[in-house]
Amino acid sequence: NAGVTQTPKFQVLKTGQSMTLQCAQDMNHEYMSWYRQDPGMGLRLIHYSVGAGITDQGEVPNGYNVSRSTTEDFPLRLLSAAPSQTSVYFCASSLAGQLVYGYTFGSGTRLTVV
Amino acid sequence: AQKITQTQPGMFVQEKEAVTLDCTYDTSDQSYGLFWYKQPSSGEMIFLIYQGSYDEQNATEGRYSLNFQKARKSANLVISASQLGDSAMYFCAMRTLNKLVFGAGTILRVKS
């Protein structure tokens, strides 16, 4: 049981480049979310999804796109990378329905934009 | 909108002593869940404890307990008998219907 798998673990981009951070879960979780973690600011919600075909914006969505074509996958796309997007990115997933269900987190992607 | 506030950027505690990490929250939802996560230097997010908004008793999990004061909208984490391995970043988080939001975190350092 792999849980939540994020790839890549590390990435360096040049300003203006685009890329996709991959996230996959094998727990049949309906809910999936993307966060970025910056020093002193905790984890901030970028985008989230409550099921295949349904996505919504979080606190800091600008510069990022998502789609959810399957239950298992929730990729995060950076359209034109900027140095302000240098951060650690976490993907998380959870069952729907009960607030007691916690979120399972991936191991993170450390992204540097130069 | 939901908001989590952790006012202690950093804390020190002596080994074997207890420590309280503060968390206040704001939401207009009646149903919500409160979580604490630990993030060691390795970076993974580790679930510690959960408290539901309708739970009348404070949650406990081993050395962790959650001091839930609903009227004050606070959900403080108490770690008893601190160990060196407790040194980490601690996040308070709140789950409403379809999302989980976090506070800024508190770095805890346990001194020997």
Side-chain angles (χ1 to χ4, degrees):
Chain A
N1 193 348
V4 179
T5 303
Q6 288 185 240
T7 55
K9 293 191 182 304
F10 301 93
Q11 183 71 48
V12 179
L13 285 179
K14 293 183 178 179
T15 297
Q17 286 184 319
S18 62
M19 81 159 295
T20 299
L21 306 185
Q22 301 292 343
C23 177
Q25 53 91 10
D26 61 359
M27 298 171 286
N28 207 28
H29 284 176
E30 295 91 343
Y31 289 3
M32 296 187 76
S33 299
W34 275 102
Y35 296 88
R36 59 177 290 172
Q37 182 178 10
D38 303 291
M41 305 190 76
L43 278 76
R44 292 181 293 169
L45 184 63
I46 304 172
H47 286 286
Y48 62 100
S49 170
V50 299
I54 306 169
T55 63
D56 206 347
Q57 296 181 349
E59 306 165 71
V60 287
N62 292 340
Y64 307 95
N65 270 2
V66 292
S67 60
R68 184 102 179 266
S69 56
T70 67
T71 299
E72 294 78 18
D73 300 300
F74 192 42
L76 179 71
R77 282 181 287 276
L78 281 69
L79 307 174
S80 178
S84 61
Q85 293 179 304
T86 294
S87 188
V88 179
Y89 291 84
F90 286 97
C91 179
S93 72
S94 176
L95 287 169
Q98 298 288 335
L99 293 171
V100 67
Y101 297 145
Y103 277 66
T104 302
F105 283 80
S107 58
T109 295
R110 186 173 294 274
L111 176 68
T112 302
V113 182
V114 298
Chain B
Q2 295 81 28
K3 186 177 180 181
I4 295 282
T5 302
Q6 295 180 254
T7 57
Q8 306 154 312
M11 293 279 287
F12 284 95
V13 64
Q14 195 68 37
E15 193 178 10
K16 300 181 184 178
E17 291 185 350
V19 63
T20 298
L21 306 184
D22 294 339
C23 172
T24 58
Y25 62 91
D26 190 23
T27 181
S28 56
D29 289 17
Q30 296 301 308
S31 296
Y32 50 88
L34 296 158
F35 296 80
W36 278 90
Y37 286 85
K38 173 183 179 181
Q39 186 182 46
S41 58
S42 54
E44 72 264 38
M45 297 290 288
I46 302 169
F47 164 76
L48 294 179
I49 196 167
Y50 165 83
Q51 179 85 39
S53 59
Y54 293 112
D55 294 342
E56 295 186 350
Q57 291 196 332
N58 287 341
T60 60
E61 291 285 351
R63 294 186 298 111
Y64 304 108
S65 60
L66 200 153
N67 185 359
F68 180 47
Q69 298 187 44
K70 192 171 182 177
R72 299 179 63 180
K73 293 190 173 180
S74 73
N76 299 339
L77 177 70
V78 180
I79 305 175
S80 63
S82 296
Q83 302 171 356
L84 295 178
D86 293 334
S87 292
M89 175 73 85
Y90 289 81
F91 290 105
C92 180
M94 176 169 59
R95 177 171 185 171
T96 51
L97 180 62
N98 52 17
K99 57 184 175 181
L100 181 72
V101 295
F102 286 82
T106 297
I107 299 175
L108 177 67
R109 292 286 179 255
V110 181
K111 299 183 292 185
S112 59

